[in-house]
Amino acid sequence: MPTFGTGRRVAIVAGVRTPFARSGTVLKDYTAIDLGKLAVAELVQRTALDGATVDLLVFGTVVQSVIAPNIAREVSLLPHFPKTLQAYTVSRACASANQAITDAADQIALGHAHVAIAGGAESLTQVPILHSRGMTDVLVAASKAKSLTQRLATFAQLRPKDFIPITPAIAEPSTGESMGQSADKMAKLNGITRESQDRFALRSHMNAAAGTDDGRLTAEIVPVPAPPKFEAMIATDNGVRRDSTYEQLAALKPVFDRQYGTVTAGNASPLTDGGAAVLLMSEERAKAHGYTPLAYIRSYAYAAVDPAEQLLQAPVLAVPIALARAGLALEDIDLIEMHEAFAAQVLSNIQGLASNTWAARAGLSTPVGEVDFTKLNVMGGSLSIGHPFGATGARVLTTLCNELARRGGQFGMLTVCAAGGMGHAMIVERA
């Protein structure tokens, strides 16, 4: 089994997450730091982990707080850990938690750590609202004024347009295209029909509803007290629509390209709040502490494409690298988790893996292969469960490892697309 070239296997011991909730709903009063702390605290409790044994905490987030930009350090200051625990924050757009996990895994494989916690959190309700440049200039100048008269004169320079706030946009700085516009473009380029997108979205909701009802999804969730009275507990994801029908999804209007587009609110992942974390250990430390790992990280890879081309297609280039590093082929994989940013993106990724054109771009003589839908996102995905940008990667890994163990499978694969034209793939193996 590959061991990062060091002879040390990295074990995935456990994973925990908060419920995922549509932004502006039941988790709106929690910050990303709060959500991260809730997930990590529960991870420690469930695994009976001695916090003093943790060597490293790495966390991902995308829309960072300007007040507390190192979310990892804030999470590491939980009373479960010594104040000397090193912690740092990473950001790779929607693959931020994956970056946190692979960073931590690398440190374990190199022998620099034995025990690490990695994950991410996001509150897409509490995004920072920025002042306009004009307002910023005036506020800075006013702070330097030496008298009330000077301060008032400075504020007198404000114009009505200066009061218009700037909100973060889910768009590419390099192209100006939003993710939704990019998904629409991918659907057109790859011939992904509106019907196939809506049917895939319906499949996601139905699978997630089944996984919630039989307890497979709720098993990975820590119930969270519901503000403001904290008298009830939030224990399930609130984006899963078990009553959805194809006819309802088909009736929704496109939201990006209103005339020719096929991406709707129903076949796109919702803005979501949530946090997730996983516990990683060296194989020898896990065994010494009596843990039975869910799985081991066998390989991983990152890739990128031109953001102006097909923004969310990079997983197609990451998968063959990860498979080659693992010494495996697609048919060896027992279970697959693909992050569902948009139905059009997942279906484009699947098409790309079977494409001669994309195989050539990856330096392959033949395509990676056809994805078996019976192995794919068997408990739904981000379209239904939700997508807190910084947390999704840890949720996908947790879901994959838990279900792989339940099914008695050996190999699992996950993929995550990310803004900036980036993509990630990981192969895990059960011992």
Side-chain angles (χ1 to χ4, degrees):
M1 176 186 294
T3 53
F4 295 77
T6 65
R8 305 186 83 209
R9 289 210 293 172
V10 180
I12 304 159
V13 175
V16 176
R17 66 180 177 93
T18 69
F20 283 5
R22 289 174 177 264
S23 61
T25 62
V26 293
L27 296 180
K28 64 184 178 65
D29 294 323
Y30 287 104
T31 66
I33 293 171
D34 294 332
L35 295 167
K37 286 182 174 180
L38 286 164
V40 170
E42 179 69 9
L43 182 66
V44 172
Q45 294 295 326
R46 288 193 184 187
T47 57
L49 180 68
D50 179 356
T53 65
V54 179
D55 302 307
L56 177 69
L57 190 148
V58 192
F59 238 58
T61 194
V62 178
V63 186
Q64 296 193 9
S65 167
V66 295
I67 299 172
N70 188 359
I71 184 175
R73 182 54 177 158
E74 302 308 315
V75 172
S76 77
L77 294 174
L78 280 164
H80 307 69
F81 308 113
K83 298 298 184 281
T84 53
L85 175 61
Q86 63 160 315
Y88 65 92
T89 300
V90 297
S91 185
R92 194 193 275 262
C94 304
S96 291
N98 305 97
Q99 185 67 61
I101 291 163
T102 56
D103 271 18
D106 286 349
Q107 290 300 299
I108 292 172
L110 288 168
H112 297 164
H114 279 285
V115 181
I117 291 174
E122 204 80 50
S123 172
L124 289 173
T125 299
Q126 299 189 27
V127 295
I129 306 299
L130 307 177
H131 291 300
S132 67
R133 179 59 187 269
M135 175 66 80
T136 299
D137 290 344
V138 166
L139 290 173
V140 171
S143 70
K144 298 177 180 178
K146 299 185 183 302
S147 68
L148 177 60
T149 301
Q150 289 180 348
R151 190 171 290 111
L152 291 175
T154 302
F155 282 120
Q157 299 173 24
L158 287 170
R159 298 294 179 264
K161 64 182 178 62
D162 296 328
F163 290 91
I164 300 174
I166 300 171
T167 55
I170 307 174
E172 290 299 304
S174 60
T175 66
E177 279 187 342
S178 70
M179 272 203 178
Q181 289 170 324
S182 297
D184 250 332
K185 181 167 72 174
M186 289 174 67
K188 293 169 188 172
L189 289 172
N190 299 314
I192 307 298
T193 66
R194 168 67 187 272
E195 179 179 353
S196 65
Q197 292 174 60
D198 289 340
R199 292 199 182 280
F200 188 85
L202 180 63
R203 173 186 186 273
S204 182
H205 283 281
M206 295 303 100
N207 285 354
T212 299
D213 291 345
D214 63 22
R216 288 175 296 160
L217 278 177
T218 51
E220 65 191 37
I221 295 175
V222 50
V224 172
K229 295 184 178 180
F230 303 101
E231 294 174 344
M233 300 297 286
I234 306 161
T236 59
D237 309 308
N238 74 356
V240 180
R241 295 183 172 176
R242 62 185 63 251
D243 56 348
S244 284
T245 65
Y246 169 73
E247 289 72 24
Q248 290 172 332
L249 290 168
L252 296 174
K253 294 181 179 180
V255 293
F256 298 101
D257 180 345
R258 297 181 183 276
Q259 187 171 4
Y260 302 109
T262 54
V263 175
T264 71
N267 58 41
S269 60
L271 296 177
T272 311
D273 303 332
V278 298
L279 175 61
L280 304 174
M281 289 186 179
S282 61
E283 181 179 24
E284 59 267 30
R285 185 61 59 89
K287 290 181 177 179
H289 285 243
Y291 291 107
T292 301
L294 290 171
Y296 294 90
I297 297 176
R298 186 173 175 102
S299 70
Y300 70 85
Y302 292 95
V305 297
D306 182 348
E309 185 194 3
Q310 295 199 46
L311 180 72
L312 307 175
Q313 194 73 335
V316 176
L317 300 180
V319 166
I321 300 172
L323 285 171
R325 289 174 178 171
L328 299 171
L330 185 60
E331 54 265 30
D332 297 318
I333 303 300
D334 298 301
L335 203 61
I336 301 170
E337 282 287 328
M338 286 187 168
H339 162 49
E340 302 170 349
F342 301 88
Q345 157 261 316
V346 183
L347 294 172
S348 292
N349 290 172
I350 292 169
Q351 185 184 99
L353 291 173
S355 159
N356 285 309
T357 300
W358 282 95
R361 289 185 60 168
L364 304 175
S365 57
T366 57
V368 171
E370 298 278 352
V371 171
D372 183 345
F373 273 70
T374 66
K375 301 177 180 179
L376 175 68
N377 295 3
V378 296
M379 288 188 291
S382 301
L383 289 171
S384 49
I385 296 169
H387 176 33
F389 298 157
T392 287
R395 194 282 299 170
V396 170
L397 180 60
T398 297
T399 302
L400 174 64
C401 291
N402 283 337
E403 187 64 12
L404 191 66
R406 277 189 289 266
R407 291 173 175 237
Q410 184 177 6
F411 299 115
M413 180 177 78
L414 67 85
T415 70
V416 177
C417 62
M422 297 181 290
H424 170 69
M426 177 178 281
I427 310 296
V428 300
E429 177 177 11
R430 291 185 63 237

